[in-house]
Amino acid sequence: MGARMTQIRWGILGASKFAREHMGPAIHAAKGAVLAAVASRTPQSVAPFKDFAAGCRAVMGYDALIADPDIDAIYIPLPHHMHVEWTVKALNAGKHVLAEKPIAMQADDFDRLIAARDASGLLAAEAYMIVHHPQWQRARQMVADGAIGRVIHITGGFSYDNSDDPQNIRNQAATGGGGMRDIGVYVLGSARYVMGADLENISAKIRWESGFDTFASMQGNMGEATYSAYVSTRMHPHQEMVFHGSEGLLRLTAPFNANIFGEARIELHQPNLGLRVEKFPAANHYVNQVEAFGHSIRNGAAYPWTLEQARGTQEAIDTVLAIGTDLT
């Protein structure tokens, strides 16, 4: 990649709250990365980024950022429905791209993303940060090693309540709102990551509000295991994933917002009330994600979450939304 790629110079497309609070600081903290610029229509909105990354430049407009010769990689935290368009534009402009999840609104959109990635020879990926967290890497290894025997059933849940924020993009059908597109990627993608299998024989129930889902429960099969999960944007905050096997049970207590929702822990429940707990207090999956992305760019290493893997999750989301029985 040449000497200039020893430090990957990142630009962020839009001065979003999430970028300001999580991914901006993660890019700044990651080894081999520098937060070089943030694009915004209002330069003053870039000022908070300069508080932790003094050298960060304000760039007027998204097109200007992806055309900037001093930027190597683009991070996209825009509303869901804008991800595909700007990922393709950035790839065509010669930039590597990390776009927030869900990177696409429907599985068919991945055709454009994969074609643009392959034509450019650049790295394009969904910012599915949990696969970069050691608790999930450990959970996958434990299941593969037979720590709980044969996996028989998987359960998951992820909920929060944003009913008091009607202007939120997650409460707008036009911007890809709803629980399945926002957090369905977690209960589905995490289980697919551990099991190495897709969700099949899907059935679902959905509660709709103004054209987007506020509750969805889904069932099916994942490999030889059965699967049951729910997501909601109208329930008390909760998150948990459980892999129940023939010889034990694996429970992740803060699987998606580690050390924000709660302490990142894996509980291995074993026979005769045996319990082994592993904790991950220092891990930051956002920093890990940036460093893994840079490692793939510099060394050609396989990235832990490909567009093809992301597509598998989106296919399940599409199916749930299409076939779900209406609870409204």
Side-chain angles (χ1 to χ4, degrees):
M1 288 292 179
R4 75 184 190 94
M5 295 300 285
T6 56
Q7 281 274 69
I8 293 169
R9 301 165 298 181
W10 284 83
I12 299 179
L13 220 56
S16 73
K17 181 175 184 286
F18 182 80
R20 183 174 70 247
E21 294 182 354
H22 296 288
M23 279 300 292
I27 291 169
H28 181 66
K31 296 174 183 175
V34 58
L35 179 54
V38 175
S40 175
R41 291 182 294 272
T42 54
Q44 61 267 29
S45 65
V46 181
F49 292 85
K50 295 176 179 289
D51 290 342
F52 58 82
C56 179
R57 296 179 285 116
V59 175
M60 285 295 289
Y62 302 160
D63 286 298
L65 182 65
I66 65 173
D68 191 323
D70 294 323
I71 296 296
D72 305 308
I74 299 288
Y75 167 65
I76 302 177
L78 299 171
H80 301 160
H81 68 297
M82 300 173 70
H83 292 174
V84 172
E85 173 191 0
W86 284 101
T87 297
V88 171
K89 283 184 176 181
L91 286 168
N92 290 342
K95 312 300 184 189
H96 303 279
V97 183
L98 182 67
E100 261 313 318
K101 54 85 210 155
I103 195 171
M105 292 273 284
Q106 55 194 23
D108 288 350
D109 291 336
F110 279 86
D111 292 341
R112 287 181 62 199
L113 294 173
I114 290 170
R117 176 201 65 187
D118 292 350
S120 68
L122 299 165
L123 178 59
E126 181 180 69
Y128 195 53
M129 75 290 188
I130 67 166
V131 301
H132 304 280
H133 198 291
Q135 70 170 335
W136 278 108
Q137 295 165 353
R138 178 71 173 133
R140 183 171 70 163
Q141 190 61 53
M142 291 170 79
V143 167
D145 289 345
I148 59 173
R150 181 170 59 90
V151 181
I152 296 173
H153 187 63
I154 304 160
T155 57
F158 194 2
S159 61
Y160 61 85
D161 185 357
N162 68 355
S163 57
D164 63 348
D165 188 9
Q167 300 308 310
N168 191 299
I169 60 172
R170 295 165 184 82
N171 285 323
Q172 306 290 326
T175 53
M180 279 304 298
R181 286 200 174 99
D182 188 42
I183 53 179
V185 294
Y186 291 118
V187 295
L188 286 164
S190 62
R192 291 180 61 247
Y193 174 72
V194 168
M195 299 297 292
D198 289 323
L199 185 65
E200 300 175 322
N201 304 318
I202 299 172
S203 62
K205 296 179 180 179
I206 300 180
R207 184 169 291 114
W208 298 93
E209 180 181 308
S210 303
F212 59 91
D213 61 292
T214 59
F215 172 86
S217 65
M218 67 215 83
Q219 296 77 38
N221 301 94
M222 194 168 285
E224 296 183 352
T226 52
Y227 172 94
S228 177
Y230 69 90
V231 297
S232 178
T233 59
R234 297 292 185 268
M235 293 170 68
H236 180 77
H238 176 68
Q239 53 185 266
E240 182 181 54
M241 290 295 296
V242 175
F243 298 82
H244 200 152
S246 58
E247 300 170 29
L249 179 147
L250 203 63
R251 177 173 177 256
L252 288 84
T253 59
F256 311 127
N257 297 119
N259 296 333
I260 296 174
F261 175 79
E263 182 181 51
R265 293 159 48 111
I266 293 179
E267 297 177 356
L268 176 59
H269 296 258
Q270 298 170 308
N272 302 316
L273 301 181
L275 175 63
R276 192 172 90 216
V277 178
E278 298 185 18
K279 303 178 182 181
F280 306 85
N284 184 314
H285 47 200
Y286 299 116
V287 173
N288 293 349
Q289 177 176 245
V290 174
E291 292 181 350
F293 196 87
H295 183 63
S296 291
I297 291 172
R298 281 188 293 266
N299 304 308
Y303 191 69
W305 191 251
T306 65
L307 291 179
E308 287 80 3
Q309 286 170 296
R311 181 177 191 148
T313 299
Q314 190 61 49
E315 287 172 345
I317 291 171
D318 290 351
T319 300
V320 168
L321 292 173
I323 71 167
T325 302
D326 191 351
L327 295 174
T328 306

